[in-house]
Amino acid sequence: MRIVVRLNSARKASSLQVLMLRAVMVVLIAVVITPWPLNAARAADVHAWFVDSLVKVFPADAPGAHRLASAEYWGARNQHVSVQLALRSGKAFQGITVQVKPLFEKGATESRAIEVHHVGYVVAGSHTPDSPPDELVGVAPGWYPDVLEEFPFDLKPDWTVPIWITIHIPEEAHPGVYRGAIQVRAKGKLIARNRFVLHVVAARVPQARTLHVTNWFSLNDDVSRQFYGVPMFSPAWWKLLANVGRVLADYRQNVALTPLMTLIQPRIDDGRLSYDYANFDRWVETLQQAGVIGTIEGSHLTTRAQGAYQGSLMVPILEITNNAVQQITVPAGDPRVVPFLTSFLSQLASHLKEKGWTHSYVQHISDEPHGPEMPFYVKFAAIVHQSMPGVRTIDAVDLAHITEDLRKSCDIWVPILGSFDGSLNLIRQHVQEGHAVWYYTCISPEGRYLNRFLDFPLVKTRLLPWLDFRYGLTGFLHWGGNDWTPKPMLDTQPVINDNQTLLPPGDAFIVYPDRAHLSVKASIRLEALRAGIEDYEMLRILQSRNPAEAREISHSAISSFTGYVRDARQFRRIERQLLRALSEK
């Protein structure tokens, strides 16, 4: 999604200011990474206590901070339940490992395994702008819990570390009470043991994934070489794609942005352009096997000069010059654009039909068309609809300024959250006409809206899919799946627009590179998003049985776009109400 629009003066940063912020972050890393004691007399005791997984644990949290009144958890069958244990000591321990007593019958498949991580801290250099203090957590610059790391790790003195346990309840588990125990060891020696109770109810999270979810990720040659040391299309790169796909699918992402001009290779047949789809097919089939497709999200047909929102609309095309194919980018009005798009899309449509992928495919045209771009959007959408029968168009649209032509040209609307509060009737009409409406976040919205920024409470991330259900939307899109800085854990805020714009913390990515395993590391924000997606699917089941009750529960969680439950304990009461309603015969 474009990331250079709606930027007010609060987001602008001079090059000097950016350099100063970077200097502050360097000092933070150098000083805070070696914490000083909170008091002169360090206690040697190890403190381990349960904290709600919707509450972020910070390094300076004192023993017992945000302690749960009771270590009891509720979950449906086939649901992921997160358990968080905070760990702190007055002295250092090396080689920390954690084990969890098995809860279910032996022989559970890997997909039902209890996964245990410790939560790594990442740096947020500044707070999300235009956000009241009561909507933020932590301090900035500062350390924020996010990345899920493996064991062992070393526990520094007077430094609180969250332990994160993800329990995937087997679909065939018997409803009842299951008792678990968490054992913490340092170099094999037991230093803490904590017990918890899991109540499994009769409700089930359905296997079907009806909510469309896409976090845009890129594994182009630059990314794969920089973060993994492998070139694009090498055997290791295809393994990387499969591994990343499995992680995304495990977190219920089911839409994959697919870079057409990178994957589809042109060739010359009898003096005419034709295409080799081998890489495109392998990409789709790899992600299908991983479980993340789902939906093939064809990349945008247009771009803008210098990538700027106000730049002129451009179109990458292919042409034959001196008996060789070259790619050039030309203005949208260039007479070569329409013949190229017609031929390219017609051939792609034939290939999709041959593979049986037509109805799994959606096509982007232009990201947030506006102003003088509108006639081009309408023209190119008509080419898509004529050349690719059965393929739907999808794009970010501004519903406050949408034209009648654009309404008809774009099948799946994706407005940005915070921009369509007054457009609900328009959305309902579009849905009633047989179309779909998703929504997206990108830099905006801040303040009292929901979003997934690092310095926002996790309940805001958990509720993103609830907002879909609450307003009859069927998809969530975010532009930044893995738009990493060179050191993602030490810098979560890329600077764009020639060092003029600093992104909010965490907006650019929600996973972290895992070079050792040719994969990505998940985050607690991604865990919260998956939990919300599972809530959405359960709300849909309840809606089919008792629409009034589903509406009541969703409204109790979200009364308006900025009016929603913010307290973790209150959310848990609503969550248990949903589980009870679905468990009733």
Side-chain angles (χ1 to χ4, degrees), residues 302-315:
T302 70
T303 184
R304 293 185 177 94
Q306 291 81 47
Y309 181 63
Q310 300 300 336
S312 56
L313 197 66
M314 310 290 287
V315 181

Side-chain angles (χ1 to χ4, degrees), residues 495-508:
V495 181
I496 60 173
N497 291 352
D498 296 325
N499 283 344
Q500 295 298 308
T501 304
L502 187 70
L503 295 181
D507 190 53

Side-chain angles (χ1 to χ4, degrees), residues 222-284:
D222 290 341
V223 171
S224 61
R225 287 180 185 273
Q226 178 179 359
F227 293 100
Y228 298 98
V230 300
M232 194 172 188
F233 301 137
S234 66
W237 185 86
W238 288 109
K239 182 178 179 181
L240 168 65
L241 178 67
N243 291 342
V244 171
R246 280 190 289 270
V247 173
L248 296 176
D250 189 44
Y251 284 90
R252 298 186 79 95
Q253 177 163 327
N254 55 2
V255 183
L257 183 66
T258 300
L260 301 180
M261 299 294 279
T262 302
L263 295 171
I264 300 173
Q265 302 297 308
R267 64 190 180 199
I268 302 174
D269 287 336
D270 296 328
R272 304 179 67 179
L273 271 175
S274 64
Y275 301 96
D276 181 346
Y277 295 97
N279 287 332
F280 175 84
D281 291 349
R282 189 170 179 182
W283 166 283
V284 173

Side-chain angles (χ1 to χ4, degrees), residues 168-408:
H168 186 190
I169 301 173
E171 188 172 10
E172 70 276 12
H174 296 293
V177 179
Y178 295 79
R179 303 186 185 279
I182 302 171
Q183 297 178 338
V184 183
R185 289 183 168 83
K187 292 186 175 179
K189 181 180 178 181
L190 185 68
I191 61 173
R193 179 190 288 113
N194 294 70
R195 301 182 186 279
F196 65 93
V197 174
L198 174 64
H199 299 267
V200 176
V201 300
R204 280 189 177 90
V205 173
Q207 291 287 358
R209 304 180 178 199
T210 63
L211 182 67
H212 294 86
V213 179
T214 178
N215 290 280
W216 287 355
F217 71 97
S218 172
L219 293 176
N220 62 33
D221 194 61
D222 290 341
V223 171
S224 61
R225 287 180 185 273
Q226 178 179 359
F227 293 100
Y228 298 98
V230 300
M232 194 172 188
F233 301 137
S234 66
W237 185 86
W238 288 109
K239 182 178 179 181
L240 168 65
L241 178 67
N243 291 342
V244 171
R246 280 190 289 270
V247 173
L248 296 176
D250 189 44
Y251 284 90
R252 298 186 79 95
Q253 177 163 327
N254 55 2
V255 183
L257 183 66
T258 300
L260 301 180
M261 299 294 279
T262 302
L263 295 171
I264 300 173
Q265 302 297 308
R267 64 190 180 199
I268 302 174
D269 287 336
D270 296 328
R272 304 179 67 179
L273 271 175
S274 64
Y275 301 96
D276 181 346
Y277 295 97
N279 287 332
F280 175 84
D281 291 349
R282 189 170 179 182
W283 166 283
V284 173
E285 289 163 356
T286 298
L287 294 179
Q288 282 179 329
Q289 292 169 8
V292 79
I293 290 179
T295 298
I296 309 164
E297 187 183 1
S299 59
H300 299 83
L301 301 177
T302 70
T303 184
R304 293 185 177 94
Q306 291 81 47
Y309 181 63
Q310 300 300 336
S312 56
L313 197 66
M314 310 290 287
V315 181
I317 68 169
L318 300 166
E319 67 175 12
I320 300 174
T321 303
N322 297 326
N323 204 35
V325 179
Q326 65 173 355
Q327 180 176 320
I328 59 175
T329 301
V330 299
D334 190 288
R336 292 169 289 184
V337 168
V338 170
F340 166 74
L341 288 180
T342 301
S343 175
F344 177 79
L345 295 175
S346 296
Q347 292 185 61
L348 175 57
S350 296
H351 185 74
L352 292 172
K353 183 178 180 180
E354 178 183 331
K355 300 292 290 187
W357 294 341
T358 299
H359 298 293
S360 300
Y361 186 89
V362 295
Q363 181 63 60
H364 283 288
I365 295 171
S366 182
D367 197 21
E368 289 199 349
H370 60 280
E373 299 173 356
M374 294 296 195
F376 291 115
Y377 189 97
V378 173
K379 177 188 294 187
F380 300 156
I383 294 173
V384 171
H385 287 134
Q386 293 165 9
S387 303
M388 309 182 78
V391 167
R392 294 168 296 163
T393 54
I394 175 174
D395 273 306
V397 294
D398 180 0
L399 295 184
H401 301 93
I402 193 168
T403 64
E404 185 63 27
D405 286 340
L406 183 58
R407 287 179 59 178
K408 296 177 180 178

